[in-house]
Amino acid sequence: MEQQNYGNHRKMDPGYHYLLTLLTLLFLVGSLVYLGMSLAKGERIFEAVLFVLGSLIACVHFLKLRVYALKAQDRAIFAEESLRHYLITGQRADSRLTIKQIIALRFASDEELAALSTKTVNENLNPDDIKKAITHWKADHNRL
């Protein structure tokens, strides 16, 4: 497996990110076209409205599905990284660290975690800057 770093750490699931996105958008566009044609002809309007409603439901479901999965992963990462910080330093992580900062800090090696956590709090680093500051990358191949 390729060594993970800042440049290649983002992962995409082609079935979800490309195929399902495309199909959901096609469903929405197709249903809107069908509604437009139905309104122009003055027939099958009820069915067309149902198709639009169904496509909107699919779009909301598509977006919420991703948000819920990310929130569950965020909670797991927060728990794991809080424990790791405690095991390395003997202290709880600074309460001023945001969940997004902690998620970015998961890529830091054990040797640089404490110092980078302190720097993050002192300089209020954003997640992207945290990842760029990491010198010894700890891979995470599980998150999409």
Side-chain angles (χ1 to χ4, degrees):
M1 185 172 281
E2 184 182 357
Q3 179 72 25
Q4 194 177 60
N5 57 46
Y6 176 78
N8 69 5
H9 77 284
R10 288 186 167 86
K11 286 174 60 175
M12 301 294 270
D13 175 12
Y16 179 84
H17 291 104
Y18 303 122
L19 181 62
L20 193 55
T21 299
L22 177 64
L23 293 175
T24 303
L25 288 175
L26 286 174
F27 185 30
L28 177 62
V29 170
S31 68
L32 291 172
V33 168
Y34 185 69
L35 177 62
M37 291 175 14
S38 296
L39 289 172
K41 291 181 182 178
E43 56 189 42
R44 297 189 171 263
I45 295 171
F46 179 73
E47 290 91 342
V49 170
L50 286 179
F51 274 127
V52 170
L53 183 60
S55 69
L56 290 175
I57 290 168
C59 288
V60 170
H61 182 73
F62 172 79
L63 295 172
K64 288 303 219 174
L65 182 73
R66 181 72 178 144
V67 169
Y68 293 155
L70 288 177
K71 285 187 183 281
Q73 289 181 26
D74 289 352
R75 290 181 62 171
I77 291 168
F78 178 82
E80 291 170 359
E81 292 305 309
S82 295
L83 176 61
R84 182 167 82 113
H85 188 279
Y86 181 79
L87 292 173
I88 291 169
T89 66
Q91 299 174 359
R92 295 177 64 149
D94 194 305
S95 62
R96 293 174 289 179
L97 287 170
T98 67
I99 186 76
K100 297 296 182 194
Q101 290 171 324
I102 291 171
I103 289 167
L105 285 166
R106 81 184 184 277
F107 295 111
S109 66
D110 290 350
E111 296 76 28
E112 63 186 327
L113 177 64
L116 191 52
S117 294
T118 301
K119 181 179 179 178
T120 298
V121 169
N122 292 339
E123 298 178 21
N124 194 27
L125 297 177
N126 67 48
D128 200 51
D129 290 336
I130 294 168
K131 293 175 192 174
K132 289 177 183 175
I134 296 170
T135 55
H136 297 94
W137 197 270
K138 183 173 93 44
D140 179 0
H141 296 288
N142 297 315
R143 183 167 173 148
L144 292 176

